Amino acid sequence: MTSPNRTALVEELMGRFPQVPPEAVIKEDLLRGGMAFDDSALSGGDDGDVKPKSYFIFSFDHRTLPELGAAALNRPPEEIVLTGGSYGLRRTVVSVRVNPDSPYVVRAGEDGALGLYLDGTRIADVGLPPMPDYYRHTLANGKSVMEVAPTIQWGYLVYLTVFRVCQYFGAKEECQYCDINHNWRQHKAAGRPYTGVKPVEEVLEALEIIDRHDTAGASKAYTLTGGSITSQVGGRDEADFYGHYAKAIEERFPGRWIGKVVAQALPRDDVQRFHDYGISIYHPNFEVWDRRLFELYCPGKERYVGRDEWHRRILDSTEVFGARNVIPNFVAGVEMAEPFGFTSVDEAINSTAEGLRFFMSNGVVPRFTTWCPEPTTPLGKANPQGAPLEYHIRLLETYRATLEEYGLTSPPGYGPAGPGRAVFSVSSFMDSLSADEPVAAGAE
Ligand code: SF4
């Protein structure tokens, strides 16, 4: 991956797409290709002064834990924040995806201050997230808050992966870019605490600690998520399983957080149950728009629901939640993944734009996560470089143009939009929207 031309590529794209903020160009490149950490920039583990990477659902790394060595034992930070430097970056929060071979390296300079280096040249100042007070407390049973209720997006979002595995299992069902099941296995193999099904009482206890110690009030939303449930977990189907956490949270902390759930596109009655349990925002992720790629890369979703039905249910769920509060995700970049993906950026963008238009013309604003080609997944193995940076930059341009064409604004529950303001860390779609937008802080 190390290439002396990466700087030239980045600057060429900044020049060709001046309407995309330079912050978003750097952020997308870091998200798709990862960053390396010098020992001087590692977090010091779970007891240090820096908030460590929690591995909140997928690994989001370019190497397995055994391959990462010191970076795995002496954890990298959850996120970094970039400012200043040769591109004059406004404050930019980036989720950490570790790749020891990346041309981007985080390390301390001669003055001791951390910087981001590209091809050996310092391009930005790096800030690390401080260890939040609530991470210094444990539950009565000794579990850490970070294991039960990690926070991301600079503390904005409590990420509750309450079911650490997916019942789409094996090569014929797992999404071809997803390492949730592998990530669970590797954390168990490393002897780390990594609870498969989180007891609701533990979740409530961890939230209590966060609520008590989040004195800055950074924590605004929670996401209930995990693998798909095709049968039952603990005697509950998917709607009741994820929903019963929401019910307990809303009863204990009414209105304290914006409640979101990531789940399959379920029939309307099940969606209604989510709503009745107190969920405000529903994420029935459609993953990739193109029909053939959905069938090939999301075989479990195709088998259990099917693409057309998935899309129909997304639109049906707007009658329950309201269109603004249905926010399906897609994984930006997998449409260019070999062996079946588009081979030209034009084709990939046209396909994704068709999907954006389909949803946005119905008032639904999708959002996306930048694909990280994790090494244990079929698509990660076949495409260790991920998708071209140009694709990601043009997607940001297309996303914003389509949003504006339909008179829509950024989705609720993602914090502020605009360069220098956004906190959403796993794609730069929020960084590339207008900073003049009002903040859609809560469900609407
Ligand atoms: S539905 Fe797909 S992306 Fe989601 S956890 Fe299961 S395999 Fe992974």
Side-chain angles (χ1 to χ4, degrees):
M1 164 105 24
T2 303
S3 159
N5 296 322
R6 186 67 74 88
T7 305
L9 173 67
V10 164
E11 293 186 350
E12 188 238 333
L13 290 168
M14 284 179 181
R16 272 177 64 202
F17 299 97
Q19 63 281 29
V20 175
E23 290 83 357
V25 177
I26 300 285
K27 181 165 168 176
E28 285 299 307
D29 208 15
L30 288 165
L31 290 172
R32 85 187 174 106
M35 61 186 91
F37 280 85
D38 185 77
D39 284 352
S40 60
L42 291 173
S43 81
D46 299 352
D47 301 320
D49 294 329
V50 173
K51 187 184 189 191
K53 176 164 171 155
S54 62
Y55 291 86
F56 53 86
I57 181 164
F58 312 118
S59 77
F60 284 128
D61 282 337
H62 292 251
R63 296 284 182 280
T64 60
L65 286 180
E67 288 168 340
L68 286 176
L73 294 170
N74 196 4
R75 291 187 177 205
E78 184 79 86
E79 287 150 344
I80 58 172
V81 64
L82 305 175
T83 48
S86 44
Y87 304 112
L89 300 184
R90 289 158 286 186
R91 187 176 189 277
T92 305
V93 180
V94 188
S95 186
V96 165
R97 299 171 171 186
V98 183
N99 179 1
D101 294 333
S102 172
Y104 292 92
V105 180
V106 179
R107 65 177 161 84
E110 286 177 6
D111 58 358
L114 282 185
L116 178 68
Y117 293 75
L118 173 57
D119 296 331
T121 301
R122 186 179 175 110
I123 62 164
D125 300 332
V126 170
L128 301 180
M131 182 72 86
D133 278 353
Y134 48 78
Y135 271 16
R136 298 192 189 279
H137 298 262
T138 54
L139 279 59
N141 63 10
K143 285 190 182 176
S144 71
V145 171
M146 183 177 76
E147 148 67 359
V148 178
T151 60
I152 59 172
Q153 296 168 25
W154 223 255
Y156 180 89
L157 180 69
V158 188
Y159 208 87
L160 299 170
T161 306
V162 289
F163 182 44
R164 290 279 207 184
V165 291
C166 183
Q167 290 185 344
Y168 294 165
F169 210 82
K172 290 200 170 70
E173 292 190 355
E174 286 172 3
C175 299
Q176 300 290 287
Y177 44 82
C178 174
D179 77 349
I180 190 171
N181 290 332
H182 172 81
N183 193 36
W184 183 76
R185 283 191 294 271
Q186 76 167 354
H187 281 263
K188 294 308 254 188
R192 291 182 171 186
Y194 212 72
T195 311
V197 178
K198 294 180 181 173
V200 70
E201 300 74 26
E202 290 184 8
V203 170
L204 293 174
E205 191 180 346
L207 288 174
E208 184 85 52
I209 294 171
I210 292 175
D211 187 45
R212 196 170 344 122
H213 296 279
D214 175 34
T215 44
S219 172
K220 304 272 193 227
Y222 66 82
T223 292
L224 285 163
T225 184
S228 292
I229 297 170
T230 56
S231 56
Q232 292 194 328
V233 173
R236 293 182 167 94
D237 66 9
E238 184 162 287
D240 280 343
F241 176 76
Y242 289 113
H244 91 284
Y245 290 91
K247 180 169 184 284
I249 294 169
E250 295 304 323
E251 281 175 359
R252 177 76 68 89
F253 310 97
R256 165 65 180 83
W257 289 278
I258 305 163
K260 317 187 201 185
V261 68
V262 181
Q264 297 180 98
L266 295 173
R268 188 178 157 147
D269 287 354
D270 292 13
V271 173
Q272 184 67 50
R273 271 189 280 157
F274 279 143
H275 191 265
D276 294 347
Y277 280 131
I279 293 288
S280 301
I281 292 176
Y282 179 40
H283 299 287
N285 299 339
F286 72 93
E287 314 292 8
V288 59
W289 174 254
D290 180 74
R291 175 181 301 280
R292 181 167 154 274
L293 293 178
F294 182 87
E295 290 168 3
L296 291 164
Y297 289 171
C298 306
K301 293 194 170 190
E302 178 62 21
R303 173 183 286 194
Y304 287 96
V305 181
R307 177 180 179 272
D308 292 343
E309 180 65 13
W310 197 283
H311 295 169
R312 213 174 356 258
R313 290 179 182 182
I314 289 176
L315 297 188
D316 283 353
S317 63
T318 65
E319 291 167 17
V320 175
F321 278 94
R324 287 284 287 161
N325 300 321
V326 176
I327 308 170
N329 188 56
F330 63 100
V331 184
V334 296
E335 51 275 71
M336 294 206 71
E338 292 184 7
F340 302 114
F342 295 109
T343 53
S344 84
V345 173
D346 280 351
E347 286 177 305
I349 292 292
N350 288 343
S351 170
T352 305
E354 185 181 287
L356 291 175
R357 297 176 74 84
F358 173 81
F359 289 114
M360 290 187 185
S361 65
N362 284 286
V364 172
V365 177
R367 58 100 178 180
F368 52 95
T369 305
T370 300
W371 175 40
C372 175
E374 287 122 334
T376 58
T377 64
L379 295 189
K381 279 193 189 104
N383 304 269
Q385 313 286 330
L389 181 56
E390 180 181 337
Y391 164 81
H392 290 286
I393 304 313
R394 288 179 56 186
L395 176 62
L396 293 172
E397 185 186 51
T398 301
Y399 182 89
R400 179 170 175 168
T402 314
L403 199 69
E404 289 175 357
E405 179 186 338
Y406 288 101
L408 297 165
T409 53
S410 63
Y414 288 86
R421 303 172 77 219
V423 293
F424 186 66
S425 56
V426 292
S427 101
S428 46
F429 89 91
M430 289 294 284
D431 302 74
S432 59
L433 298 177
S434 168
D436 298 332
E437 271 192 7
V439 179
E444 295 162 3

